[in-house]
Amino acid sequence: MTPYARGAVRLLSGAGLAAALLLPTAVPAHTADGAKGQELPAMPSALDPDAEEADCTAASRETAKRQDWSRQRLDLDRLRGHGSGEGVTVALVDTGVDPDADGLDGRVTAGGGAAEDCVGHGTFLAGLIAGTGGDSARLAGVAPGARILALRGTDTRGEASAALVAEAVREATDAGADVIAVTVALPRRDAALTRAVAEARRAGAVVIAAATPDPPSRGTDEIPSRVYWPAGEPGVLSVADMLPGGVRPDSALPTTGIDLAAPGAGVVSGGPRGDGHYLGAGASVAAAYAAGAAAVVLAAHPDDSPDAVTHRLTATAYPADIPQLDAYAAVTTVLGDSGAPAGGERAAEPVSVRDTSAADRATGRATLFVILGSAAVLTVLWAAFTLPRARARGWRPAGAGGTQED
C-alpha cells in the first residue's frame, strides 16, 4: 500500500469514527440472555435424578439489585394502576409451591403433596404470576392480588408425567380455578390429559401451557420439531419464551403452533427457601407470565369467556412473527365488535428500554449513514490525491514514458 493510500485509509477511518460519534447512541439495553448485571444462581426446572433424594435446590444467598428486563418489557409498573388480579385463582401445575415462600404468604393453597417444592421451580414461577416481591416490590409478579392453587405435575425431582399432569388439571377444574397454567410439556399426547383439558375448558377455565419443555443441557440440533402437550390441545394458549430482542433463544426446542411469546431468559424471582433470588429461563417462565396476565385480564373483564381472554392476549400482543405478550395492552385496550383493537390498529409500542427494536433500527440507520459518509470522504480523498498527479503526467496512465510537451 502506497503512503498516499495509507494516509487515505487513516483519514477515512477517522472520518467514519467522527460520523459515528455524531450520531445518537443506539446500543441495545440488554445482553442476549437478558441477565446483564444480575449475579444470581440459576433456578433448575428439574433435579439430577441420580443425586441424593435430600439434595434440594439450595437457598440463594444473593438478591437482585434492580428490576429485570422482563418486568419492564411487560410494563408491570403501569399495569399496577389497572388491576392486580384480585379475586382470580390461578392453578399452577409444576413442581409444587411453598405456601410460606417470601411474597406469597396467605395466598397459596396446595393440593396433595404440592406444598413441598424440593426443586423450587414451581415456587419461582408462582412469584412471577402472583408474588408481591417481598421486600423488593419492583420484583412483584404480574398479578400480585391473585391466589395460587399449587398442583404437582411432576415427581419430587421435577420429572413430569402425563398421569400427574392430567390429575392436576382435573383437581384444578374441580376446585373452580379461573386460570390453569401447565408449565411442564410432554412429548406425546395422552388421552386422559386430552379429556382433562377439554373438561377444564367446558368448566370455564383459561388453560395456558408451555409450548415446549425448558431447554435441555445439551444442544438441540438433533431434536426434530414436534408438538408438545397439553400446549397442542384445542383451545389451549401455547406460550414460548423470547429474548429481549423478541427472538426465541438458540437453545429453545423447535415446535409449531405457538400462539404467544413472552419473556423467558434472565428472569428474576424467588424460591421456597430464604429470601434470595434466582434467574430462570424457558417456556415455563413465559407461560407463567401469560397466566399472570390472564388473571389481571379476568379481574378487569370478569364477563369475558375463556376464548375471549385468550383472544385478548393475542389480539393486543406486539406484532411479530410470534405475537409478543403485552400485559398492559391486554388489560387496557378497547376491542371493537370484530375483536380487533378499536380503530383497527394496535397502539404504538412506547419507545423505552422495554423495546430494543427501535434501537436496532437506529443502529441500522447509523451504520448506513457512516457507510455513505465514508464513501463520500473516500471520493474526495481520491480526487485530492489522484487528480494533481494525473495533471502532472499530462493525463497519461501512471508508468507511461516521456514528458508533456509545451
Side-chain angles (χ1 to χ4, degrees):
M1 183 180 289
T2 67
Y4 299 117
R6 285 195 294 271
V9 169
R10 283 196 296 271
L11 287 172
L12 176 60
S13 300
L17 177 60
L21 291 175
L22 290 172
L23 294 169
T25 303
V27 179
H30 311 282
T31 57
D33 63 0
K36 183 178 179 181
Q38 301 278 21
E39 300 294 334
L40 304 172
M43 173 57 72
S45 56
L47 300 175
D48 184 351
D50 298 326
E52 292 295 330
E53 187 69 22
D55 187 19
C56 297
T57 299
S60 172
R61 298 180 179 179
E62 306 296 330
T63 56
K65 303 300 187 292
R66 59 181 175 81
Q67 187 180 51
D68 64 29
W69 74 275
S70 64
R71 290 165 170 86
Q72 298 176 47
R73 182 64 175 261
L74 296 176
D75 219 351
L76 298 191
D77 289 341
R78 280 207 299 168
L79 181 63
R80 299 283 180 264
H82 297 272
S84 65
E86 188 171 355
V88 176
T89 297
V90 180
L92 176 59
V93 181
D94 199 83
T95 62
V97 177
D98 184 343
D100 298 322
D102 192 47
L104 293 173
D105 275 352
R107 291 182 297 111
V108 177
T109 302
E116 298 292 331
D117 185 13
C118 183
V119 180
H121 191 255
T123 305
F124 179 94
L125 298 183
L128 299 180
I129 296 170
T132 64
D135 293 333
S136 305
R138 296 201 72 195
L139 293 175
V142 184
R147 296 186 59 84
I148 294 290
L149 171 59
L151 298 164
R152 187 178 285 162
T154 73
D155 63 16
T156 57
R157 311 299 290 171
E159 184 69 24
S161 76
L164 288 173
V165 175
E167 177 60 27
V169 172
R170 285 193 292 268
E171 288 185 39
T173 303
D174 292 343
D178 303 292
V179 179
I180 301 175
V182 182
T183 48
V184 298
L186 303 164
R188 287 175 294 277
R189 194 175 192 182
D190 177 80
L193 179 55
T194 297
R195 290 193 297 271
V197 169
E199 291 167 3
R201 283 184 40 76
R202 284 195 296 270
V206 177
V207 183
I208 296 171
T212 67
D214 287 344
S217 57
R218 63 185 180 88
T220 60
D221 290 344
E222 299 178 359
I223 300 177
S225 178
R226 67 191 308 169
V227 175
Y228 292 88
W229 309 93
E233 296 292 349
V236 173
L237 187 72
S238 174
V239 186
D241 45 336
M242 72 178 189
L243 298 173
V247 299
R248 295 194 71 204
D250 291 339
S251 60
L253 293 168
T255 190
T256 58
I258 300 170
D259 298 310
L260 197 64
V267 174
V268 176
S269 189
R273 287 165 282 280
D275 56 3
H277 296 127
Y278 306 80
L279 286 176
S284 62
V285 170
Y289 269 144
V296 182
V297 167
L298 272 172
H301 305 275
D303 296 329
D304 278 5
S305 68
D307 286 340
V309 171
T310 56
H311 173 73
R312 176 176 283 275
L313 292 173
T314 55
T316 61
Y318 191 72
D321 289 342
I322 302 173
Q324 299 168 12
L325 175 65
D326 186 334
Y328 178 78
V331 173
T332 60
T333 299
V334 177
L335 299 181
D337 293 338
S338 65
E345 295 181 356
R346 183 188 183 280
E349 180 76 358
V351 178
S352 70
V353 296
R354 292 186 303 278
D355 182 10
T356 62
S357 59
D360 294 340
R361 289 192 295 273
T363 302
R365 289 193 297 270
T367 302
L368 179 61
F369 183 83
V370 170
I371 291 171
L372 294 176
S374 299
V377 172
L378 181 59
T379 301
V380 172
L381 291 173
W382 176 85
F385 283 106
T386 304
L387 293 180
R389 286 157 182 76
R391 186 181 298 109
R393 293 193 303 271
W395 307 104
R396 290 177 302 181
T403 59
Q404 177 70 25
E405 295 181 356
D406 294 334

